[in-house]
mmCIF file of all heavy atoms in Angstrom:
data_model
loop_
_atom_site.group_PDB
_atom_site.id
_atom_site.type_symbol
_atom_site.label_atom_id
_atom_site.label_comp_id
_atom_site.label_asym_id
_atom_site.label_seq_id
_atom_site.Cartn_x
_atom_site.Cartn_y
_atom_site.Cartn_z
ATOM 1 N N TYR A 1 -249.018 95.363 79.230
ATOM 2 C CA TYR A 1 -249.273 94.882 77.886
ATOM 3 C C TYR A 1 -250.388 95.704 77.233
ATOM 4 O O TYR A 1 -251.314 96.143 77.908
ATOM 5 C CB TYR A 1 -249.719 93.415 77.915
ATOM 6 C CG TYR A 1 -248.746 92.492 78.599
ATOM 7 C CD1 TYR A 1 -248.673 92.411 79.982
ATOM 8 C CD2 TYR A 1 -247.897 91.670 77.864
ATOM 9 C CE1 TYR A 1 -247.783 91.572 80.619
ATOM 10 C CE2 TYR A 1 -247.004 90.813 78.485
ATOM 11 C CZ TYR A 1 -246.956 90.769 79.861
ATOM 12 O OH TYR A 1 -246.069 89.939 80.487
ATOM 13 N N TRP A 2 -250.282 95.850 75.933
ATOM 14 C CA TRP A 2 -251.367 96.400 75.127
ATOM 15 C C TRP A 2 -251.836 95.315 74.162
ATOM 16 O O TRP A 2 -251.037 94.770 73.388
ATOM 17 C CB TRP A 2 -250.918 97.621 74.347
ATOM 18 C CG TRP A 2 -250.756 98.857 75.171
ATOM 19 C CD1 TRP A 2 -249.603 99.352 75.689
ATOM 20 C CD2 TRP A 2 -251.794 99.758 75.560
ATOM 21 N NE1 TRP A 2 -249.849 100.499 76.383
ATOM 22 C CE2 TRP A 2 -251.189 100.783 76.317
ATOM 23 C CE3 TRP A 2 -253.172 99.813 75.346
ATOM 24 C CZ2 TRP A 2 -251.916 101.839 76.868
ATOM 25 C CZ3 TRP A 2 -253.885 100.856 75.885
ATOM 26 C CH2 TRP A 2 -253.268 101.855 76.632
ATOM 27 N N TYR A 3 -253.121 95.026 74.213
ATOM 28 C CA TYR A 3 -253.758 94.104 73.281
ATOM 29 C C TYR A 3 -254.758 94.898 72.436
ATOM 30 O O TYR A 3 -255.157 95.998 72.796
ATOM 31 C CB TYR A 3 -254.533 93.010 74.030
ATOM 32 C CG TYR A 3 -253.698 91.916 74.630
ATOM 33 C CD1 TYR A 3 -253.047 92.093 75.851
ATOM 34 C CD2 TYR A 3 -253.573 90.686 73.994
ATOM 35 C CE1 TYR A 3 -252.280 91.076 76.409
ATOM 36 C CE2 TYR A 3 -252.819 89.656 74.553
ATOM 37 C CZ TYR A 3 -252.180 89.864 75.754
ATOM 38 O OH TYR A 3 -251.434 88.856 76.303
ATOM 39 N N ARG A 4 -255.168 94.289 71.338
ATOM 40 C CA ARG A 4 -256.246 94.876 70.560
ATOM 41 C C ARG A 4 -257.119 93.764 69.991
ATOM 42 O O ARG A 4 -256.663 92.646 69.800
ATOM 43 C CB ARG A 4 -255.723 95.769 69.433
ATOM 44 C CG ARG A 4 -254.995 95.047 68.312
ATOM 45 C CD ARG A 4 -254.422 96.053 67.329
ATOM 46 N NE ARG A 4 -253.718 95.395 66.231
ATOM 47 C CZ ARG A 4 -253.007 96.036 65.304
ATOM 48 N NH1 ARG A 4 -252.916 97.377 65.356
ATOM 49 N NH2 ARG A 4 -252.408 95.380 64.349
ATOM 50 N N GLN A 5 -258.359 94.130 69.734
ATOM 51 C CA GLN A 5 -259.288 93.178 69.137
ATOM 52 C C GLN A 5 -260.132 93.898 68.107
ATOM 53 O O GLN A 5 -260.876 94.837 68.441
ATOM 54 C CB GLN A 5 -260.178 92.526 70.190
ATOM 55 C CG GLN A 5 -261.024 91.397 69.635
ATOM 56 C CD GLN A 5 -261.629 90.539 70.729
ATOM 57 O OE1 GLN A 5 -261.753 90.949 71.875
ATOM 58 N NE2 GLN A 5 -262.002 89.314 70.368
ATOM 59 N N ALA A 6 -259.991 93.461 66.878
ATOM 60 C CA ALA A 6 -260.782 93.999 65.786
ATOM 61 C C ALA A 6 -262.051 93.166 65.643
ATOM 62 O O ALA A 6 -262.081 92.003 66.045
ATOM 63 C CB ALA A 6 -259.977 93.983 64.498
ATOM 64 N N PRO A 7 -263.087 93.740 65.053
ATOM 65 C CA PRO A 7 -264.339 92.994 64.880
ATOM 66 C C PRO A 7 -264.119 91.686 64.127
ATOM 67 O O PRO A 7 -263.478 91.672 63.072
ATOM 68 C CB PRO A 7 -265.210 93.959 64.063
ATOM 69 C CG PRO A 7 -264.683 95.304 64.391
ATOM 70 C CD PRO A 7 -263.210 95.130 64.571
ATOM 71 N N GLY A 8 -264.616 90.611 64.685
ATOM 72 C CA GLY A 8 -264.516 89.323 64.034
ATOM 73 C C GLY A 8 -263.158 88.661 64.121
ATOM 74 O O GLY A 8 -262.939 87.608 63.511
ATOM 75 N N LYS A 9 -262.252 89.268 64.868
ATOM 76 C CA LYS A 9 -260.902 88.716 64.983
ATOM 77 C C LYS A 9 -260.566 88.416 66.429
ATOM 78 O O LYS A 9 -261.182 88.942 67.355
ATOM 79 C CB LYS A 9 -259.872 89.685 64.394
ATOM 80 C CG LYS A 9 -260.015 89.907 62.903
ATOM 81 C CD LYS A 9 -258.853 90.718 62.365
ATOM 82 C CE LYS A 9 -258.948 90.886 60.865
ATOM 83 N NZ LYS A 9 -257.809 91.665 60.311
ATOM 84 N N GLN A 10 -259.557 87.577 66.595
ATOM 85 C CA GLN A 10 -259.103 87.263 67.944
ATOM 86 C C GLN A 10 -258.298 88.425 68.516
ATOM 87 O O GLN A 10 -257.703 89.219 67.779
ATOM 88 C CB GLN A 10 -258.245 85.988 67.919
ATOM 89 C CG GLN A 10 -259.023 84.715 67.633
ATOM 90 C CD GLN A 10 -258.165 83.474 67.812
ATOM 91 O OE1 GLN A 10 -256.957 83.511 67.597
ATOM 92 N NE2 GLN A 10 -258.782 82.379 68.216
ATOM 93 N N ARG A 11 -258.298 88.485 69.834
ATOM 94 C CA ARG A 11 -257.493 89.497 70.500
ATOM 95 C C ARG A 11 -256.021 89.190 70.258
ATOM 96 O O ARG A 11 -255.593 88.034 70.329
ATOM 97 C CB ARG A 11 -257.801 89.492 71.998
ATOM 98 C CG ARG A 11 -257.232 90.650 72.759
ATOM 99 C CD ARG A 11 -257.799 90.693 74.172
ATOM 100 N NE ARG A 11 -259.240 90.954 74.167
ATOM 101 C CZ ARG A 11 -259.947 91.158 75.280
ATOM 102 N NH1 ARG A 11 -259.341 91.123 76.466
ATOM 103 N NH2 ARG A 11 -261.239 91.382 75.204
ATOM 104 N N GLU A 12 -255.245 90.216 69.952
ATOM 105 C CA GLU A 12 -253.832 90.020 69.681
ATOM 106 C C GLU A 12 -252.984 90.954 70.532
ATOM 107 O O GLU A 12 -253.379 92.086 70.847
ATOM 108 C CB GLU A 12 -253.511 90.242 68.195
ATOM 109 C CG GLU A 12 -253.732 91.653 67.705
ATOM 110 C CD GLU A 12 -253.178 91.894 66.309
ATOM 111 O OE1 GLU A 12 -252.276 91.149 65.880
ATOM 112 O OE2 GLU A 12 -253.660 92.845 65.661
ATOM 113 N N LEU A 13 -251.811 90.476 70.869
ATOM 114 C CA LEU A 13 -250.859 91.267 71.639
ATOM 115 C C LEU A 13 -250.170 92.253 70.701
ATOM 116 O O LEU A 13 -249.634 91.860 69.664
ATOM 117 C CB LEU A 13 -249.826 90.361 72.301
ATOM 118 C CG LEU A 13 -248.710 91.035 73.091
ATOM 119 C CD1 LEU A 13 -249.282 91.824 74.264
ATOM 120 C CD2 LEU A 13 -247.721 89.995 73.587
ATOM 121 N N VAL A 14 -250.181 93.505 71.081
ATOM 122 C CA VAL A 14 -249.605 94.551 70.247
ATOM 123 C C VAL A 14 -248.223 94.964 70.759
ATOM 124 O O VAL A 14 -247.281 95.091 69.979
ATOM 125 C CB VAL A 14 -250.536 95.782 70.228
ATOM 126 C CG1 VAL A 14 -249.891 96.935 69.472
ATOM 127 C CG2 VAL A 14 -251.882 95.419 69.616
ATOM 128 N N ALA A 15 -248.127 95.170 72.062
ATOM 129 C CA ALA A 15 -246.871 95.658 72.628
ATOM 130 C C ALA A 15 -246.802 95.286 74.094
ATOM 131 O O ALA A 15 -247.833 95.102 74.746
ATOM 132 C CB ALA A 15 -246.758 97.174 72.476
ATOM 133 N N LEU A 16 -245.596 95.178 74.593
ATOM 134 C CA LEU A 16 -245.423 94.878 76.004
ATOM 135 C C LEU A 16 -244.183 95.562 76.544
ATOM 136 O O LEU A 16 -243.241 95.868 75.803
ATOM 137 C CB LEU A 16 -245.345 93.373 76.239
ATOM 138 C CG LEU A 16 -244.160 92.606 75.643
ATOM 139 C CD1 LEU A 16 -242.978 92.568 76.625
ATOM 140 C CD2 LEU A 16 -244.569 91.188 75.297
ATOM 141 N N MET A 17 -244.240 95.803 77.841
ATOM 142 C CA MET A 17 -243.068 96.294 78.547
ATOM 143 C C MET A 17 -242.960 95.503 79.836
ATOM 144 O O MET A 17 -243.897 95.495 80.649
ATOM 145 C CB MET A 17 -243.162 97.788 78.855
ATOM 146 C CG MET A 17 -241.985 98.291 79.685
ATOM 147 S SD MET A 17 -242.020 100.065 80.009
ATOM 148 C CE MET A 17 -241.424 100.708 78.451
ATOM 149 N N LEU A 18 -241.833 94.836 80.029
ATOM 150 C CA LEU A 18 -241.618 94.049 81.231
ATOM 151 C C LEU A 18 -241.034 94.918 82.337
ATOM 152 O O LEU A 18 -240.620 96.063 82.096
ATOM 153 C CB LEU A 18 -240.722 92.864 80.921
ATOM 154 C CG LEU A 18 -241.271 91.895 79.864
ATOM 155 C CD1 LEU A 18 -240.298 90.762 79.618
ATOM 156 C CD2 LEU A 18 -242.629 91.363 80.268
ATOM 157 N N SER A 19 -240.966 94.361 83.526
ATOM 158 C CA SER A 19 -240.564 95.147 84.683
ATOM 159 C C SER A 19 -239.164 95.715 84.546
ATOM 160 O O SER A 19 -238.862 96.761 85.091
ATOM 161 C CB SER A 19 -240.659 94.302 85.952
ATOM 162 O OG SER A 19 -239.852 93.149 85.836
ATOM 163 N N GLY A 20 -238.305 95.044 83.792
ATOM 164 C CA GLY A 20 -236.949 95.540 83.612
ATOM 165 C C GLY A 20 -236.837 96.630 82.574
ATOM 166 O O GLY A 20 -235.753 97.198 82.371
ATOM 167 N N GLY A 21 -237.937 96.922 81.905
ATOM 168 C CA GLY A 21 -237.940 97.970 80.893
ATOM 169 C C GLY A 21 -237.844 97.461 79.472
ATOM 170 O O GLY A 21 -237.949 98.248 78.526
ATOM 171 N N SER A 22 -237.645 96.171 79.305
ATOM 172 C CA SER A 22 -237.561 95.648 77.945
ATOM 173 C C SER A 22 -238.928 95.698 77.289
ATOM 174 O O SER A 22 -239.960 95.545 77.944
ATOM 175 C CB SER A 22 -237.023 94.219 77.953
ATOM 176 O OG SER A 22 -237.873 93.373 78.678
ATOM 177 N N THR A 23 -238.922 95.911 75.991
ATOM 178 C CA THR A 23 -240.163 96.028 75.234
ATOM 179 C C THR A 23 -240.157 95.057 74.062
ATOM 180 O O THR A 23 -239.095 94.587 73.612
ATOM 181 C CB THR A 23 -240.350 97.456 74.703
ATOM 182 O OG1 THR A 23 -239.230 97.787 73.867
ATOM 183 C CG2 THR A 23 -240.442 98.469 75.840
ATOM 184 N N ASN A 24 -241.328 94.787 73.570
ATOM 185 C CA ASN A 24 -241.458 93.966 72.379
ATOM 186 C C ASN A 24 -242.755 94.353 71.688
ATOM 187 O O ASN A 24 -243.690 94.849 72.345
ATOM 188 C CB ASN A 24 -241.464 92.472 72.719
ATOM 189 C CG ASN A 24 -240.958 91.638 71.561
ATOM 190 O OD1 ASN A 24 -240.756 92.134 70.460
ATOM 191 N ND2 ASN A 24 -240.742 90.351 71.820
ATOM 192 N N TYR A 25 -242.788 94.132 70.393
ATOM 193 C CA TYR A 25 -243.924 94.578 69.589
ATOM 194 C C TYR A 25 -244.323 93.501 68.592
ATOM 195 O O TYR A 25 -243.489 92.718 68.121
ATOM 196 C CB TYR A 25 -243.558 95.853 68.819
ATOM 197 C CG TYR A 25 -243.163 97.009 69.705
ATOM 198 C CD1 TYR A 25 -241.838 97.185 70.090
ATOM 199 C CD2 TYR A 25 -244.116 97.900 70.177
ATOM 200 C CE1 TYR A 25 -241.467 98.231 70.925
ATOM 201 C CE2 TYR A 25 -243.758 98.949 71.008
ATOM 202 C CZ TYR A 25 -242.436 99.105 71.369
ATOM 203 O OH TYR A 25 -242.080 100.144 72.203
ATOM 204 N N ALA A 26 -245.589 93.512 68.239
ATOM 205 C CA ALA A 26 -246.050 92.675 67.148
ATOM 206 C C ALA A 26 -245.391 93.162 65.860
ATOM 207 O O ALA A 26 -245.146 94.362 65.685
ATOM 208 C CB ALA A 26 -247.563 92.748 67.027
ATOM 209 N N ASP A 27 -245.128 92.233 64.957
ATOM 210 C CA ASP A 27 -244.486 92.606 63.702
ATOM 211 C C ASP A 27 -245.287 93.670 62.956
ATOM 212 O O ASP A 27 -244.718 94.539 62.287
ATOM 213 C CB ASP A 27 -244.316 91.376 62.815
ATOM 214 C CG ASP A 27 -243.234 90.444 63.323
ATOM 215 O OD1 ASP A 27 -242.392 90.876 64.133
ATOM 216 O OD2 ASP A 27 -243.233 89.263 62.908
ATOM 217 N N SER A 28 -246.598 93.600 63.080
ATOM 218 C CA SER A 28 -247.464 94.503 62.321
ATOM 219 C C SER A 28 -247.356 95.960 62.779
ATOM 220 O O SER A 28 -247.785 96.863 62.061
ATOM 221 C CB SER A 28 -248.916 94.036 62.430
ATOM 222 O OG SER A 28 -249.318 93.990 63.785
ATOM 223 N N VAL A 29 -246.785 96.189 63.975
ATOM 224 C CA VAL A 29 -246.708 97.563 64.481
ATOM 225 C C VAL A 29 -245.280 98.022 64.729
ATOM 226 O O VAL A 29 -245.062 99.182 65.112
ATOM 227 C CB VAL A 29 -247.539 97.735 65.770
ATOM 228 C CG1 VAL A 29 -248.971 97.250 65.560
ATOM 229 C CG2 VAL A 29 -246.900 97.018 66.951
ATOM 230 N N LYS A 30 -244.322 97.167 64.539
ATOM 231 C CA LYS A 30 -242.920 97.542 64.785
ATOM 232 C C LYS A 30 -242.536 98.744 63.944
ATOM 233 O O LYS A 30 -242.842 98.822 62.762
ATOM 234 C CB LYS A 30 -241.997 96.359 64.463
ATOM 235 C CG LYS A 30 -241.879 95.350 65.574
ATOM 236 C CD LYS A 30 -240.918 94.225 65.207
ATOM 237 C CE LYS A 30 -240.853 93.198 66.320
ATOM 238 N NZ LYS A 30 -239.989 92.050 65.969
ATOM 239 N N GLY A 31 -241.865 99.671 64.593
ATOM 240 C CA GLY A 31 -241.446 100.885 63.905
ATOM 241 C C GLY A 31 -242.501 101.962 63.873
ATOM 242 O O GLY A 31 -242.212 103.109 63.507
ATOM 243 N N ARG A 32 -243.727 101.622 64.266
ATOM 244 C CA ARG A 32 -244.813 102.603 64.258
ATOM 245 C C ARG A 32 -245.354 102.875 65.663
ATOM 246 O O ARG A 32 -245.765 103.995 65.953
ATOM 247 C CB ARG A 32 -245.965 102.121 63.364
ATOM 248 C CG ARG A 32 -245.576 101.871 61.922
ATOM 249 C CD ARG A 32 -246.804 101.601 61.056
ATOM 250 N NE ARG A 32 -247.503 100.376 61.453
ATOM 251 C CZ ARG A 32 -248.780 100.338 61.826
ATOM 252 N NH1 ARG A 32 -249.494 101.453 61.861
ATOM 253 N NH2 ARG A 32 -249.362 99.190 62.146
#
């Protein structure tokens, strides 16, 4: 998993890859 935390904000999940290879992304970064 990749998380990020901006100043003054909660940590958020950005992207993940599971053991089977499937991936998922936060809406804010999809396509980028």
Side-chain angles (χ1 to χ4, degrees):
Y1 304 79
W2 285 98
Y3 283 81
R4 68 185 180 187
Q5 188 166 21
K9 295 188 177 181
Q10 290 188 329
R11 191 170 295 186
E12 65 170 337
L13 177 62
V14 175
L16 65 89
M17 176 177 281
L18 300 179
S19 58
S22 61
T23 59
N24 207 351
Y25 300 89
D27 288 342
S28 58
V29 307
K30 277 182 182 177
R32 301 189 296 122

